[in-house]
Amino acid sequence: MKRKQPRRRLIIGAVIAGLITVGLLPVSAAGSAAAQAAERPSGGARAAAAADLARGKPIEASSTVFNFVARNANDGNTGTYWEAGGHPSTLTVKLGANADITSVVIKLNPDPIWGTRTQNLQVLGRDQAATGFTSLVARANHVFNPASNQNTVTIPVTGRVADLQLQFFSNTGAPGGQVGELQVIGTPAPNPDLTVSALSWTPASPVESDTTTVNATVRNTGTAGAGATTVNVSLGGVVAGSAPVPALGAGASATVPVDIGKRAAGTYRVTALVDPTDTIIEQDNDNNSLTAPSDLVVGQSPGPDLQVLGVESSPANPAVGAPVSFTVAVKNRGTTTSGATTVTRVAVGGTTLNTNTPAIAAGATTNVNVSGTWTATNGGATIVATADATNVVTETNETNNTFSRSIVVGRGAAVPYVEYEAEAARYQGTLLETDPLRTFGHTNFATESSGRKSVRLNSTGQFVEFTSTNPSNSIVVRNSIPDAPNGGGTEATISLYVNDTFVRKLTLSSKHSWLYGDTDGPEALTNTPQADARRLFDESHALLPTTYPVGTKFRLQRDAADSAAFYIIDLIDLEQVAPPSAKPAECTSITEYGAVPDDGIDDTAAIQRAVTADQEGAIACVWIPAGQWRQEKKILTDDPLDRGQYNQVGISDVTIRGAGMWHSQLYTLTEPHQAVGSINHPHEGNFGFDIDDNTQISDIAIFGSGTIRGGPGGAEGGVGLNGRFGKDTKISNVWIEHANVGVWVGRDYDNIPDLWGPADGLQFSGMRIRNTYADGINFTNGTSNSRVFNSSFRTTGDDSLAVWANRYVKNQSTDIAHDNQFINNTIQLPWRANGVAVYGGYGNKIENNLIYDTANYPGIMLATDHDPLPFSGQTLIANNALHRTGGAFWNEDQEFGAITLFAQSRDIPGVTIRDTDILDSTYDGIQFKTGGGALGVTVSNVKIDKSNNGAGILAMSGARGNAALTNVTITNSADGNIVTQPGSQFVITGGTTSAKAQKRTLANRW
């Protein structure tokens, strides 16, 4: 059916409405009288007694086009609208609980630019106890006319429903249904409404040796009885205990005691949440929690208390085989002297060092120079320092005597956690193992698992149990649970037992996993379920109520109440997380600007005010305290010149510090990541920071809510940190998760030419980047002299680390990405593309990294695709270890080596590969790929073992150039040691140290 008006008029109308929304056009430009009239409630006295129950509630559609998504239909703004992708289509709003409905109001933009249209639709509803919808108002035509009814239709409805659905069959003005605003007029039906009305604790002033009970008064303020449920008590956002709540009649209340155990001295924010798993259908699910107006203060018990504050090693980053000595800082934080000679112990890499330590006065700190040394081993180790190791002193707190941290030796990052593989643990379940080709993209769980193995739990009682080798008070679980039948993810619990005692439920989610389709195009996958799926795993993390010592058994068990159809456990991380850091004296807290932790309300404005104050010199440092802080807009600099549609001016001269990545956490709920209020480019998202110059950020977490790369309307996952970065910028100890890209460094010159300032001397360290839909950290647009050091990456959806010397720079002859370094990083499980990639430039180095389990691409790749500026000088690949890397991609037609060099269109000269181990590759160990350019490579002191489906070194038929080999050892290669395909112009000189180095030709495999 033809539209009554051109499509472009609809889009122009939406743009005008958007300009009105952000204040760029006067309201009169869109007809303020009509707009105001359309917003008046209809329905006479009866409607006045009722209310719009749909505003801001969860809303979903069967389809959408462009940016006209479902949430536009109940955002209170007729200038935004939902449009379906065709007929029939549905728009469903979830009220949360039953309501008695009197009418449904459907609005379109009242501006006359919207021509008259007739929509044929039906109104349906679903009771809170029902599974299916029933018809409330039969299918009929409804005319929307800006002149006669201000584009508003009111449909009388009689019914009691929790979900209301509009089903559209035709629209004379567009190919799909359209709604600018949906109002559901009615009153809440009788239902319970649970609240926490008061909090207290006994004893009122506890000390560390006391067991504390929090008393939560739970009240049912609703109009119907509530069944039995539970109440959780959290301290600083971490669940500390729970207790059952009895059934409560309407108006009834009960005081529920919740045991939170013994707590270390300190100040705790106390919050109680009733019905935490939403088992009770309530009139209002948003009022179930209460935070006590005053904090719980736990005092120090009288007596001595020895605590390890830290351990230093000398040298800090030793070479393999070097002797390492240690100094341990031991404090007596107690009220009396320790009164005896104690033993201070350091255990590292199988070595135990003991030193006698004299008595320490109350409040004093002693630096203990530990006797003896440890010989550094490749790959590093965990240092565990213990005060009073032989338990001579009776202390008021025996749980804080141990401190652990990692030490960097040789390759990889010194991560503060220890990783435990499910297949190496004790388990009752099904071991999943990948196929010989490690096939990817067809719902292959084992291929996407660390070590290409994981454990599946199908039945109640099945478990995976890990025995710890490090003290820990936190856990991260890499897992997979099923998607929802129609996509969008589900949540389910799994039970955590410690030494056979139940500790808590961990909540797992599939919201951020499960992408579908058989395409390898980066932006062509979907969240709509299909037969073929990938990106199957995600992670859940939790702080635990206490520190558990070495030898503790952590069991993840499927109990009767754990409802997922299956659980796949890949690995866990156990970490000893330090307490929240105190605010530095020079910093000013974001709470001074109005931010409130853990309340679920957007704190962006307060954070932006604090950052702007720092940038303008009013304060010296921005402090983000411990807590959950909601952020729904990118932090940047207001652009007074208003250049372009989006504000892309980053912050400069700013310092932002947090209490630790486990404690100071920014998060967003908005999904997809579109720019809110047009403040930033949609692909860069509505969270994190835009950085232009001289910015320091440390000890925070940035959690996005992305679910796809390049979804409908450009609904990408956003970027945690992006911008020009400039000079003197340093980022350390920042955790970024569920973003499209963790960090994107660079902007095109023509973006804002007068702000051109590529990153120079940029430093990243201690980064923890997880579960992205594209790159981890990408250096581009002339980035130079910059480094990523001692950082970890897991499950990135494109290159975990990359240098892209792109052409979108001010001067292509000088603004070439150069002298960047990726050193001592650990990279695991990129589910798309490479572990490390370099596209053009010179002087770039890839050193001392550990790279594991790429799903489909090389562990390391040098390439001239993506149209980079030329390679020149030297590119160094040195002292790396690659485990189970390479794979098949692009319709499974291209088989990539563990290290692949691809001179697609330009030469790649000056490549050095040395002192590297390439182990258990899926295809070739080193691959010289067909391309139009020539390669110049030297390879020395390299070990290649077990190329499962390929050669040790392969020169493909269309490869050009040469490689010189020195001291190269190749063993256990399926297709031979050195293989040159027919027609290749690539020359390999030298040989291997294998007993009989094979040099033969092999037909093209693809």
Side-chain angles (χ1 to χ4, degrees):
M1 180 181 293
K2 276 190 173 183
R3 299 171 183 241
K4 296 294 185 181
Q5 61 188 38
R7 171 74 181 183
R8 62 184 179 181
R9 291 180 59 83
L10 289 177
I11 296 174
I12 291 170
V15 170
I16 291 174
L19 293 174
I20 297 167
T21 302
V22 299
L24 299 181
L25 286 180
V27 174
S28 59
S32 61
Q36 292 171 18
E39 293 297 329
R40 296 189 191 110
S42 59
R46 185 177 183 184
D52 175 19
L53 305 177
R55 175 76 175 272
K57 293 295 177 65
I59 190 166
E60 58 189 33
S62 57
S63 64
T64 61
V65 295
F66 304 112
N67 293 331
F68 309 128
V69 295
R71 69 172 182 272
N72 292 344
N74 67 338
D75 61 359
N77 177 14
T78 55
T80 62
Y81 67 97
W82 163 75
E83 181 174 330
H87 295 297
S89 60
T90 59
L91 181 68
T92 306
V93 62
K94 299 181 178 181
L95 306 179
N98 273 350
D100 293 321
I101 307 304
T102 58
S103 64
V104 171
V105 181
I106 306 171
K107 301 182 179 184
L108 295 176
N109 192 324
D111 192 288
I113 198 169
W114 281 66
T116 300
R117 68 204 58 224
T118 299
Q119 300 198 70
N120 184 269
L121 62 94
Q122 179 183 13
V123 182
L124 303 98
R126 179 167 57 194
D127 186 89
Q128 64 189 30
T131 57
F133 284 89
T134 59
S135 178
L136 301 178
V137 179
R139 174 177 173 177
N141 288 328
H142 297 276
V143 178
F144 294 79
N145 187 327
S148 64
N149 64 4
Q150 285 110 34
N151 258 358
T152 297
V153 169
T154 299
I155 304 173
V157 176
T158 300
R160 176 173 288 181
V161 297
D163 300 330
L164 186 130
Q165 183 179 90
L166 303 180
Q167 185 169 17
F168 292 82
F169 300 94
S170 65
N171 181 357
T172 61
Q178 294 172 308
V179 175
E181 199 66 19
L182 169 62
Q183 296 179 338
V184 179
I185 308 300
T187 56
N191 260 314
D193 188 10
L194 296 175
T195 66
V196 180
S197 59
L199 286 171
S200 63
W201 41 85
T202 53
S205 300
V207 296
E208 289 178 303
S209 56
D210 290 330
T211 296
T212 302
T213 300
V214 173
N215 304 299
T217 300
V218 178
R219 183 178 301 277
N220 179 5
T221 62
T223 54
T229 182
T230 58
V231 62
N232 286 351
V233 169
S234 298
L235 301 183
V238 179
V239 175
S242 65
V245 177
L248 294 173
S253 64
T255 298
V256 180
V258 180
D259 183 356
I260 62 169
K262 297 178 181 180
R263 295 287 150 179
T267 300
Y268 298 88
R269 185 177 65 258
V270 181
T271 301
L273 173 65
V274 65
D275 194 31
T277 58
D278 294 334
T279 57
I280 306 294
I281 296 176
E282 303 180 55
Q283 290 178 342
D284 184 355
N285 241 351
D286 295 330
N287 63 353
N288 287 22
S289 69
L290 176 69
T291 298
S294 58
D295 292 338
L296 167 65
V297 179
V298 179
Q300 191 167 330
S301 298
D305 184 19
L306 296 177
Q307 178 185 21
V308 177
L309 299 180
V311 56
E312 300 295 329
S313 57
S314 181
N317 300 113
V320 175
V324 183
S325 58
F326 302 93
T327 301
V328 179
V330 181
K331 179 180 181 178
N332 180 3
R333 61 180 291 276
T335 59
T336 62
T337 181
S338 60
T341 297
T342 61
V343 173
T344 300
R345 175 175 295 163
V346 167
V348 54
T351 298
T352 301
L353 308 173
N354 292 321
T355 299
N356 289 335
T357 306
I360 303 174
T365 298
T366 297
N367 290 318
V368 181
N369 296 315
V370 177
S371 301
T373 60
W374 167 69
T375 302
T377 57
N378 186 44
T382 299
I383 308 167
V384 180
T386 306
D388 189 24
T390 55
N391 294 316
V392 172
V393 178
T394 300
E395 302 177 61
T396 60
N397 186 349
E398 297 283 1
T399 67
N400 62 353
N401 288 24
T402 301
F403 180 92
S404 64
R405 73 168 181 85
S406 299
I407 183 171
V408 177
V409 179
R411 298 165 174 161
V415 293
Y417 51 84
V418 176
E419 189 172 292
Y420 301 82
E421 296 282 354
E423 66 270 18
R426 188 173 78 92
Y427 62 84
Q428 289 182 6
T430 303
L431 178 66
L432 305 181
E433 298 184 80
T434 192
D435 62 285
L437 294 177
R438 297 170 179 163
T439 306
F440 168 75
H442 306 292
T443 323
N444 308 97
F445 292 101
T447 295
E448 295 191 37
S449 299
S450 176
R452 313 295 179 146
K453 297 178 183 179
S454 52
V455 174
R456 179 175 176 132
L457 310 180
N458 287 322
S459 305
T460 299
Q462 292 188 327
F463 65 86
V464 183
E465 185 176 82
F466 308 85
T467 301
S468 68
T469 60
N470 64 307
S472 54
N473 62 359
S474 70
I475 187 169
V476 175
V477 183
R478 188 171 192 265
N479 69 90
S480 181
I481 63 172
D483 196 3
N486 296 319
T490 60
E491 287 189 351
T493 58
I494 195 167
S495 302
L496 174 64
Y497 291 79
V498 176
N499 293 330
D500 299 321
T501 299
F502 174 77
V503 170
R504 60 169 293 176
K505 296 284 190 181
L506 300 178
T507 300
L508 312 183
S509 173
S510 56
K511 176 181 178 181
H512 304 285
S513 49
W514 294 92
L515 296 180
Y516 299 93
D518 58 6
T519 175
D520 294 323
E523 298 183 353
L525 299 171
T526 176
N527 292 131
T528 302
Q530 299 177 21
D532 286 327
R534 63 189 72 189
R535 212 290 192 192
L536 304 171
F537 285 85
D538 200 50
E539 297 180 14
S540 176
H541 60 270
L543 285 171
L544 302 178
T546 189
T547 293
Y548 296 98
V550 171
T552 299
K553 295 179 180 179
F554 294 86
R555 186 167 79 245
L556 298 173
Q557 180 169 298
R558 178 176 182 165
D559 287 346
D562 300 327
S563 59
F566 62 81
Y567 297 80
I568 297 174
I569 307 300
D570 182 26
L571 58 83
I572 68 168
D573 296 333
L574 296 177
E575 178 180 353
Q576 180 63 33
V577 178
S581 300
K583 182 182 78 68
E586 70 275 15
C587 293
T588 301
S589 173
I590 58 175
T591 58
E592 298 294 319
Y593 292 86
V596 178
D598 308 321
D599 64 351
I601 297 174
D602 188 5
D603 295 298
T604 305
I607 299 170
Q608 182 69 68
R609 286 193 293 268
V611 169
T612 300
D614 189 7
Q615 185 163 267
E616 294 176 349
I619 61 175
C621 164
V622 176
W623 174 250
I624 301 180
Q628 303 284 319
W629 310 90
R630 184 174 174 186
Q631 180 194 0
E632 297 295 354
K633 292 183 182 179
K634 182 83 74 176
I635 301 300
L636 34 63
T637 297
D638 184 42
D639 184 5
L641 301 180
D642 192 27
R643 289 165 286 199
Q645 181 180 2
Y646 303 108
N647 183 357
Q648 293 181 285
V649 181
I651 61 177
S652 299
D653 305 314
V654 172
T655 298
I656 300 168
R657 299 179 65 178
M661 63 169 64
W662 278 89
H663 302 294
S664 300
Q665 299 187 335
L666 306 177
Y667 73 97
T668 179
L669 297 178
T670 300
E671 192 280 316
H673 282 289
Q674 297 296 332
V676 177
S678 297
I679 64 165
N680 205 358
H681 193 282
H683 289 187
E684 294 168 4
N686 57 327
F687 71 113
F689 297 85
D690 191 329
I691 300 169
D692 267 5
D693 190 49
N694 187 29
T695 293
Q696 287 74 48
I697 301 178
S698 61
D699 301 299
I700 65 170
I702 301 171
F703 293 149
S705 62
T707 61
I708 198 169
R709 172 178 177 173
E716 296 191 350
V719 184
L721 300 173
N722 62 272
R724 299 169 182 86
F725 284 83
K727 294 186 177 181
D728 302 315
T729 294
K730 294 180 174 60
I731 313 294
S732 62
N733 304 324
V734 174
W735 182 347
I736 302 175
E737 189 158 359
H738 296 149
N740 194 51
V741 175
V743 181
W744 187 270
V745 179
R747 287 200 184 279
D748 294 355
Y749 170 69
D750 62 6
N751 173 262
I752 303 178
D754 56 327
L755 294 183
W756 173 249
D760 187 355
L762 172 63
Q763 301 290 316
F764 291 94
S765 64
M767 303 295 289
R768 187 177 302 191
I769 294 182
R770 301 286 187 268
N771 304 303
T772 65
Y773 300 89
D775 302 70
I777 299 178
N778 193 310
F779 286 171
T780 187
N781 294 104
T783 300
S784 62
N785 302 305
S786 297
R787 184 172 80 151
V788 180
F789 169 72
N790 196 32
S791 297
S792 65
F793 302 78
R794 192 157 63 208
T795 320
T796 59
D798 213 307
D799 302 327
S800 294
L801 287 168
V803 173
W804 177 29
N806 75 28
R807 296 175 170 272
Y808 313 117
V809 296
K810 183 176 182 179
N811 187 331
Q812 293 185 4
S813 63
T814 58
D815 295 325
I816 301 174
H818 66 88
D819 292 299
N820 301 296
Q821 301 177 352
F822 299 142
I823 299 177
N824 279 108
N825 301 293
T826 297
I827 295 167
Q828 298 172 272
L829 296 152
W831 63 270
R832 189 183 188 282
N834 307 281
V836 183
V838 176
Y839 307 99
Y842 64 88
N844 298 302
K845 297 179 180 180
I846 306 167
E847 294 186 89
N848 301 354
N849 301 289
L850 291 171
I851 305 173
Y852 301 90
D853 297 306
T854 58
N856 46 51
Y857 247 56
I860 297 174
M861 188 175 192
L862 308 184
T864 58
D865 53 351
H866 307 299
D867 191 31
L869 294 168
F871 278 91
S872 62
Q874 184 192 60
T875 302
L876 177 64
I877 302 171
N879 199 33
N880 302 286
L882 294 81
H883 299 261
R884 300 176 298 275
T885 56
F889 208 50
W890 300 117
N891 198 35
E892 300 173 26
D893 289 332
Q894 294 193 34
E895 298 164 355
F896 292 95
I899 296 178
T900 296
L901 276 61
F902 178 32
Q904 182 195 43
S905 56
R906 299 179 182 87
D907 296 348
I908 305 181
V911 179
T912 296
I913 303 172
R914 61 172 174 80
D915 305 313
T916 290
D917 294 327
I918 304 172
L919 308 172
D920 199 7
S921 305
T922 304
Y923 291 97
D924 310 306
I926 298 176
Q927 182 187 94
F928 304 116
K929 191 173 177 63
T930 294
L935 301 166
V937 189
T938 62
V939 183
S940 62
N941 301 319
V942 170
K943 176 183 177 181
I944 302 172
D945 181 57
K946 199 179 180 185
S947 299
N948 287 276
N949 303 288
I953 296 176
L954 173 69
M956 299 181 72
S957 60
R960 299 171 54 240
N962 61 84
L965 312 183
T966 304
N967 194 26
V968 175
T969 301
I970 303 176
T971 52
N972 302 312
S973 296
D975 290 342
N977 291 343
I978 301 174
V979 174
T980 302
Q981 289 182 341
S984 176
Q985 301 177 48
F986 198 85
V987 177
I988 300 176
T989 59
T992 72
T993 59
S994 305
K996 281 194 175 180
Q998 301 174 11
K999 187 181 268 190
R1000 62 191 181 90
T1001 60
L1002 182 72
N1004 199 331
R1005 294 200 303 262
W1006 54 275

